[in-house]
Amino acid sequence: MTVVAALAALPALANNPIGVVDEILWDTSQSPNLVIRGWTLDPNTSASIDVHLYVNGSYLTAATANVYRPDVGAAYPGYGDSHGFHVRIDWPVGNGQVCVYAINTGPGDSNPLLGCKTALAGYTGCTWGSLDCNLCVNDVVSTFNNMRDHGEVLGFNPPVSGSFNVAYPSSNHWEGIQRLTAGFGRYLVVSKRDDRGANGNVAHTVYMGSRTTTGRRFRSNRLSTSINEPEDTTPLVLDYAAAALPLDDGYAHGGGMQAIGNIVALPMEEGPGNGKVVLYDFSSPTAPVKLSTVEGASTAAGTASLTKLADGRFMLVLGQWDAKTLEFFLSTGTNILTTGWEPYDVWQDTEVPSGHWGSFQNLNFITDCSNGQLFMIGTLIGGLGWGAFDEDFAHLYSVSLAGSVTFQHVASKHFYCSNDGARQCNFGAAGGAFVDRDHNLLLYVAEQADDGPGGSVKMIEYRGIFPNAACGDDINQAFVDFYDDSDFSDRGFIYDYPDRFSKNWANFGSVDGLNDKISSVRFCIPPGHRVRLYENSNFGGASKELTGTGSINLHDISFGDKISSAEWLSF
């Protein structure tokens, strides 16, 4: 901001210094990371004076306000232009209140406070199964960048009675997807638009009854020993829409949402009033309890984001049309079941460089374990400045909450919604991030309609390139990840130990058509076990064995594009 308007509100010069703190923010894209910027001058001298910085009441450092600021010089003729300060230091993100004092010289009786800002950090103490928080992620940027760009095909079946009333092309389609911790992590909430009025539903609770109870990756529920491509396979019968959430006060459009634990922030629009976010407690997933409503400033409410902060309060975000305007609300209390909300800031996409923001369908907070730094993952069709307009992308932003909100684009990733068959998801439809019990980042993305096998809904689970934390010790987390290309890229198939009987691994021709196409592998296998790769089908011909943990370009061992079968073995 410029200081001339701020200067107009200041009293006439006395003997004590005056000044303004323009900005205090945590810039995670650089080191040092804490930025303090402003200006100060002492009316008794034209020389630059010092400022002292305090954090949480303790002295941190000093700096001289000698940065060129012609706006200050113009506002106070005769004092010169060298009265700005622009300080960068390293300090843990969001670790309390930062204050700046001007140091008096000559006459005067105080070192006046120029301003303070409190930066809010994310909560890092969450434990698996908590009601009102999500687990943090270790090194969010690296974790995001190391996500596999092809995922595992999933799906869920329609309800026993009734219909989803979604279609493509249609204005009625899926909008957001979130995984809960309830029921051992086996429930999803999927939001949508539904124009059936009193008979419509704004979301569905999905029970993934066939999936793991460990709170880790779902893995594919569309594997078959007799069907080549998972894309052609119906989801297992235990995975289905178990309940529906009726429209709230006639609002027909549920948008991209976020869950923390079992609390879901669901945005709604196309109703009798302004857009809003409604909070629900999904601790009983098929019988959610409505908690509170936060109304926005316009009729639009396309996204909702929610996170727990280090001080126990919560930050809620309502995204207006195409997420171009974000309204931030800070909770007044620390009990998510009863708290009220008050406005915190309004952010506009014009506050980041052109091409660094997009029409996001979903925006989800993620917290870094090391320092509580908040990030946000956005999903959309189109790569902004990093890809084609019709491709599936996720973008990662660091978020600073220090009186005002700032975003910085830190990473971008192009994902793929198909392997060898039909498209299984759409980043312009329902997407959502989830952190599993081992602090692994997962991303779920669904299609727009219900045109999967048997009227099912297609979706994909994306995970890291080494997705299972205890794979080196626990055989049930062991895996081999097969890649089509030699540089660990393109499509592939993950051979999880628990799924060793779910596909015909004796013939890679029936494993998504990957016979003689595997060029590289990543693997993690505990002691006492191994995976043998065979040149021929039915476990015949030349072979290679994988043990331990590693990544291999198979062409380096003269086995590229030769695998036709594989099996798990014990020593």
Side-chain angles (χ1 to χ4, degrees):
M1 73 177 212
T2 60
V3 301
V4 175
L7 287 169
L10 292 173
L13 292 180
N15 284 320
N16 292 322
I18 61 172
V20 169
V21 177
D22 295 332
E23 183 177 60
I24 298 176
L25 65 85
W26 273 261
D27 179 2
T28 57
S29 68
Q30 300 184 48
S31 181
N33 65 336
L34 176 58
V35 180
I36 304 104
R37 187 176 63 84
W39 66 270
T40 185
L41 62 81
D42 190 307
N44 296 297
T45 179
S46 62
S48 302
I49 64 172
D50 287 346
V51 292
H52 287 187
L53 277 60
Y54 284 73
V55 177
N56 295 332
S58 298
Y59 173 77
L60 180 62
T61 191
T64 301
N66 58 5
V67 175
Y68 180 62
R69 288 293 296 262
D71 51 345
V72 177
Y76 285 93
Y79 285 90
D81 298 329
S82 299
H83 296 289
F85 55 88
H86 192 157
V87 183
R88 298 192 72 108
I89 55 175
D90 274 317
W91 191 260
V93 175
N95 196 24
Q97 187 182 61
V98 178
C99 295
V100 181
Y101 293 86
I103 304 305
N104 179 66
T105 61
D109 56 9
S110 70
N111 299 319
L113 173 67
L114 299 183
C116 296
K117 285 192 177 180
T118 299
L120 302 174
Y123 179 59
T124 60
C126 190
T127 57
W128 172 254
S130 296
L131 168 70
D132 63 357
C133 59
N134 291 335
L135 272 67
C136 58
V137 172
N138 294 304
D139 194 347
V140 171
V141 177
S142 176
T143 297
F144 178 85
N145 286 329
N146 283 308
M147 293 192 76
R148 179 79 161 94
D149 57 6
H150 289 70
E152 280 67 69
V153 172
L154 283 162
F156 57 88
N157 294 295
V160 175
S161 61
S163 68
F164 288 129
N165 190 38
V166 292
Y168 182 77
S170 168
S171 58
N172 291 334
H173 59 82
W174 301 114
E175 300 281 350
I177 184 168
Q178 288 289 289
R179 183 176 170 185
L180 308 174
T181 58
F184 303 100
R186 290 188 293 174
Y187 282 94
L188 300 168
V189 179
V190 190
S191 60
K192 67 177 186 179
R193 183 186 185 275
D194 193 335
D195 62 3
R196 292 179 293 182
N199 296 318
N201 301 299
V202 75
H204 291 265
T205 301
V206 174
Y207 179 53
M208 302 293 283
S210 76
R211 299 297 82 201
T212 175
T213 61
T214 64
R216 299 184 176 95
R217 290 169 49 220
F218 276 150
R219 307 190 325 276
S220 179
N221 65 346
R222 295 169 63 187
L223 302 179
S224 170
T225 56
S226 59
I227 301 175
N228 181 350
E229 294 182 352
E231 290 86 345
D232 298 328
T233 308
T234 302
L236 295 172
V237 68
L238 291 177
D239 305 326
Y240 63 97
L245 183 65
L247 304 189
D248 182 77
D249 197 24
Y251 281 78
H253 189 290
M257 55 189 170
Q258 179 153 24
I260 54 170
N262 295 316
I263 305 299
V264 175
L266 177 56
M268 300 181 189
E269 58 188 13
E270 297 185 25
N274 280 356
K276 61 183 183 179
V277 177
V278 181
L279 271 68
Y280 291 92
D281 180 0
F282 274 83
S283 295
S284 297
T286 59
V289 177
K290 183 178 177 180
L291 299 177
S292 59
T293 300
V294 178
E295 185 176 294
S298 75
T299 58
T303 64
S305 313
L306 181 64
T307 191
K308 189 171 186 175
L309 301 172
D311 64 4
R313 293 181 295 172
F314 302 88
M315 186 63 74
L316 173 68
V317 186
L318 182 156
Q320 295 182 13
W321 183 76
D322 275 354
K324 294 181 183 298
T325 299
L326 303 181
E327 300 179 55
F328 284 73
F329 299 89
L330 182 62
S331 71
T332 57
T334 58
N335 186 339
I336 193 67
L337 303 178
T338 60
T339 188
W341 301 87
E342 59 185 10
Y344 180 78
D345 192 23
V346 177
W347 179 89
Q348 307 281 347
D349 65 348
T350 54
E351 297 178 39
V352 295
S354 177
H356 282 223
W357 193 261
S359 301
F360 289 110
Q361 179 70 20
N362 296 273
L363 288 166
N364 289 166
F365 278 116
I366 302 292
T367 300
D368 196 293
C369 294
S370 65
N371 54 18
Q373 169 66 52
L374 287 169
F375 292 85
M376 194 171 276
I377 295 175
T379 56
L380 81 168
I381 289 287
L384 308 184
W386 296 270
F389 72 93
D390 60 348
E391 295 177 331
D392 297 285
F393 268 83
H395 294 270
L396 181 67
Y397 297 85
S398 64
V399 185
S400 174
L401 306 175
S404 60
V405 176
T406 57
F407 282 87
Q408 288 185 320
H409 187 276
V410 294
S412 175
K413 195 166 189 69
H414 180 197
F415 290 88
Y416 297 85
C417 279
S418 63
N419 287 318
D420 191 43
R423 186 175 174 85
Q424 300 296 298
C425 70
N426 187 325
F427 277 59
F434 178 74
V435 182
D436 76 5
R437 69 176 306 141
D438 295 326
H439 300 269
N440 293 312
L441 178 62
L442 301 172
L443 187 62
Y444 295 96
V445 186
E447 61 167 334
Q448 290 185 316
D450 55 353
D451 57 1
S456 63
V457 177
K458 301 175 294 188
M459 55 183 288
I460 288 183
E461 178 183 65
Y462 297 93
R463 39 77 187 178
I465 57 175
F466 279 92
N468 304 333
C471 54
D473 301 306
D474 180 0
I475 185 59
N476 288 305
Q477 294 191 49
F479 70 90
V480 176
D481 202 4
F482 296 106
Y483 291 79
D484 194 348
D485 289 352
S486 57
D487 58 353
F488 307 99
S489 65
D490 206 350
R491 71 188 187 96
F493 218 104
I494 192 166
Y495 187 16
D496 287 297
Y497 181 82
D499 295 326
R500 63 197 182 281
F501 303 122
S502 299
K503 291 292 291 181
N504 182 13
W505 299 103
N507 179 7
F508 269 41
S510 64
V511 181
D512 221 11
L514 288 172
N515 187 57
D516 290 340
K517 292 186 177 180
I518 303 302
S519 297
S520 54
V521 291
R522 286 191 169 105
F523 53 93
C524 183
I525 304 166
H529 301 270
R530 53 189 166 152
V531 170
R532 184 175 293 165
L533 312 176
Y534 295 90
E535 186 176 19
N536 298 334
S537 299
N538 299 313
F539 314 118
S543 65
K544 300 288 185 181
E545 289 194 353
L546 303 177
T547 58
T549 300
S551 303
I552 296 177
N553 180 338
L554 293 173
H555 292 282
D556 293 340
I557 59 172
S558 302
F559 218 65
D561 298 331
K562 291 184 178 181
I563 299 174
S564 296
S565 57
E567 63 179 335
W568 286 91
L569 299 169
S570 299
F571 285 108

